[in-house]
Each structure stands twice: as structure tokens, then as C-alpha cells.
């Protein structure tokens, strides 16, 4: 079983739709959680951190469920510019003094006009 | 701040050739990482460093070597390139505090091994 698993998609939704992604993780000791966005042929960039209480940034909402070991990302009123691959990232203790940072394989999102 | 920079941006090698990829960061971060990303796959950790003069193996270290002689630079070497090493290579840095922080990535190096 992969340490971090995501539905690879692709998700193909119309502009204005609401879309949600889930990501599950296997290490219950995981400490920090993030969503990254990666555009085609570009580097991953931090979209938002995920906090236990959930957090919102404009049209984006991230939530963490520690009991079930998953995080989610909700995008409301999707825009064409939201088309990208969304990476789930989980940080756990490990690698001696460095955090163990695991990336999911990503979920591809395509917004159509 | 330039953040994390990588050179070169693109390179074509023949099987058996060697090369070095350079990663530089100006954020005074302690930790640095080298990843590779293959089509349709996530990032896989090759090697990482927790400080100047230290390196350690990641998930897929075979065929690569690294050095961190200066805090701001992290070099990735391919001694004898193979077609299986065709990939996009990303460098990242991470502050030592770690709590609530995450990685900052360079723009990537696209490597094609023929």
C-alpha cells in the first residue's frame, strides 16, 4: 500500500462546478499536510496547508480527518485556470532529523468552458 | 530572493555520459532534496541533505551521487547516464524548523538520456 494515495483522475468538469479530491495516508504519526498545485511542465507550488480545524482560502477549502486518515480539497466555482494536477503531501517524523515528506501521485483536474 | 534555482534547465545525454545538476537556494534553508518525476507518477526522493557536509539516500538513490559542500548548494551527479534516468529532476529546500513549513521547489531540470 502506498503511504499517500490519491485518485489520479482525470476529473473533467465544467467551469463553475464544484469539485472535491480526497487523499488518504497510512502513517498515523503524520504531522503536517499540504495541497500542492503543479501545472504542466512546471514545479509543484504550495496551494495551501491543511489544519485540523479545516481551512479556507477563497474558493478553496481543505479539511483533515485524522481518525480516517484522509485529507480533502474542495474547489468551488471552478475556473479554467484551476486546470492542473493537485498533489497531496504528507509530512511524518522520519529520515533522522528531517521530516519525511511524501507526495501523492497527483489528481489531474481539467476545467472545460 | 531568487528562491531555489536549478541549472541546467534542459540537457540531452548519451548513454554512459556523466553530468552534474546544480541546485542553489538563497533562503538559508538547512534541508535540501533531489526528486525525480516521471510521467504520470509522483515525486520520488533520490537523495537529501540535512545540512552542509551531510547527505543521505532517499527512495531511489541508485545511479546518483550528491554533495553538499556549501549550505546553499546541493549537487546531483550522474556518473554513467542510462535511458532509465530520463526524467524531470526537481530540487527542493526546507527550513530546519519544519513545523508548519513546507518545501520550496526549483523550476526543474529536464534530462533526456539517449
Amino acid at each position: 500500500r502506498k503511504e499517500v494515495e490519491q485518485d489520479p483522475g482525470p476529473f473533467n468538469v465544467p467551469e463553475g462546478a464544484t469539485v472535491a479530491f480526497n487523499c488518504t495516508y497510512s502513517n498515523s504519526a503524520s504531522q503536517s499536510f499540504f495541497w500542492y498545485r503543479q501545472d504542466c511542465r512546471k514545479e509543484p507550488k504550495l496551494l495551501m496547508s491543511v489544519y485540523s480545524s479545516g481551512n479556507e482560502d477563497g474558493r478553496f477549502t481543505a479539511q483533515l480527518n485524522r481518525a480516517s486518515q484522509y485529507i480533502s480539497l474542495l474547489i468551488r466555482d471552478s475556473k479554467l485556470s484551476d486546470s492542473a494536477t493537485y498533489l497531496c503531501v504528507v509530512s511524518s517524523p522520519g529520515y533522522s532529523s528531517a521530516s519525511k515528506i511524501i507526495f501523492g501521485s497527483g489528481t489531474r483536474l481539467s476545467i472545460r468552458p | 530572493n531568487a528562491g531555489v534555482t536549478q541549472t541546467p534547465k534542459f540537457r540531452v545525454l548519451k548513454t554512459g555520459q556523466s553530468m552534474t545538476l546544480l541546485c542553489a537556494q538563497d533562503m538559508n534553508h538547512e534541508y535540501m532534496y533531489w526528486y525525480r518525476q516521471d510521467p504520470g507518477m509522483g515525486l520520488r526522493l533520490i537523495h537529501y541533505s540535512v545540512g552542509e557536509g551531510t547527505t543521505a539516500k532517499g527512495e531511489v538513490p541508485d545511479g546518483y551521487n550528491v554533495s553538499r559542500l556549501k549550505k546553499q548548494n546541493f549537487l546531483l551527479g550522474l556518473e554513467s547516464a542510462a535511458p532509465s534516468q530520463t526524467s524531470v529532476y526537481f530540487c527542493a529546500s526546507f527550513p530546519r524548523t519544519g513545523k508548519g513549513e513546507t518545501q520550496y521547489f526549483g523550476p526543474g531540470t529536464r534530462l533526456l538520456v539517449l
Side-chain angles (χ1 to χ4, degrees):
Chain A
R1 181 187 174 189
K2 290 182 180 179
E3 290 190 65
V4 177
E5 294 202 67
Q6 293 182 250
D7 182 342
F11 286 64
N12 190 324
V13 302
E15 197 173 6
T18 295
V19 61
F21 311 136
N22 279 344
C23 166
T24 59
Y25 61 95
S26 60
N27 187 347
S28 59
S30 298
Q31 295 176 322
S32 302
F33 309 88
F34 308 92
W35 283 103
Y36 274 72
R37 171 194 170 124
Q38 185 173 25
D39 294 296
C40 187
R41 301 177 68 81
K42 298 285 190 181
E43 73 271 26
K45 290 185 178 177
L46 178 66
L47 177 66
M48 58 196 307
S49 303
V50 187
Y51 304 121
S52 296
S53 56
N55 49 304
E56 189 173 311
D57 183 3
R59 298 181 294 108
F60 298 84
T61 300
Q63 293 194 314
L64 167 64
N65 185 320
R66 284 193 183 272
S68 300
Q69 294 183 201
Y70 76 85
I71 66 173
S72 64
L73 177 67
L74 181 77
I75 306 175
R76 291 181 299 278
D77 187 24
S78 54
K79 311 291 184 191
L80 294 175
S81 57
D82 294 335
S83 296
T85 296
Y86 291 83
L87 305 174
C88 169
V89 181
V90 175
S91 174
S92 307
Y95 285 156
S96 67
S97 58
S99 290
K100 185 176 181 180
I101 302 170
I102 304 295
F103 285 78
S105 299
T107 298
R108 282 179 51 206
L109 173 64
S110 179
I111 307 297
R112 62 180 188 269
Chain B
N1 280 358
V4 181
T5 58
Q6 292 182 233
T7 52
K9 288 185 170 52
F10 180 69
R11 184 75 182 268
V12 179
L13 289 179
K14 294 181 180 178
T15 296
Q17 286 185 317
S18 63
M19 77 163 294
T20 299
L21 284 67
L22 170 63
C23 175
Q25 52 98 3
D26 60 2
M27 296 174 284
N28 202 35
H29 286 173
E30 291 288 339
Y31 303 156
M32 296 186 75
Y33 306 77
W34 274 108
Y35 293 91
R36 61 176 289 173
Q37 186 176 37
D38 300 303
M41 296 185 69
L43 292 154
R44 291 186 292 169
L45 182 63
I46 304 171
H47 286 280
Y48 67 100
S49 167
V50 300
E52 182 178 320
T54 72
T55 63
K57 294 180 180 179
E59 181 187 353
V60 289
D62 294 340
Y64 304 95
N65 57 75
V66 287
S67 64
R68 183 110 180 259
L69 298 179
K70 293 182 179 180
K71 186 177 182 179
Q72 63 267 33
N73 296 336
F74 195 27
L75 279 64
L76 178 71
L78 286 74
E79 289 187 349
S80 179
S84 61
Q85 293 178 304
T86 293
S87 189
V88 180
Y89 292 85
F90 289 105
C91 174
S93 70
F94 185 75
R96 187 173 186 175
T97 57
K99 190 173 176 64
E101 286 276 6
T102 188
Q103 292 174 314
Y104 296 80
F105 283 85
T109 295
R110 283 163 180 75
L111 176 65
L112 174 63
V113 183
L114 301 174

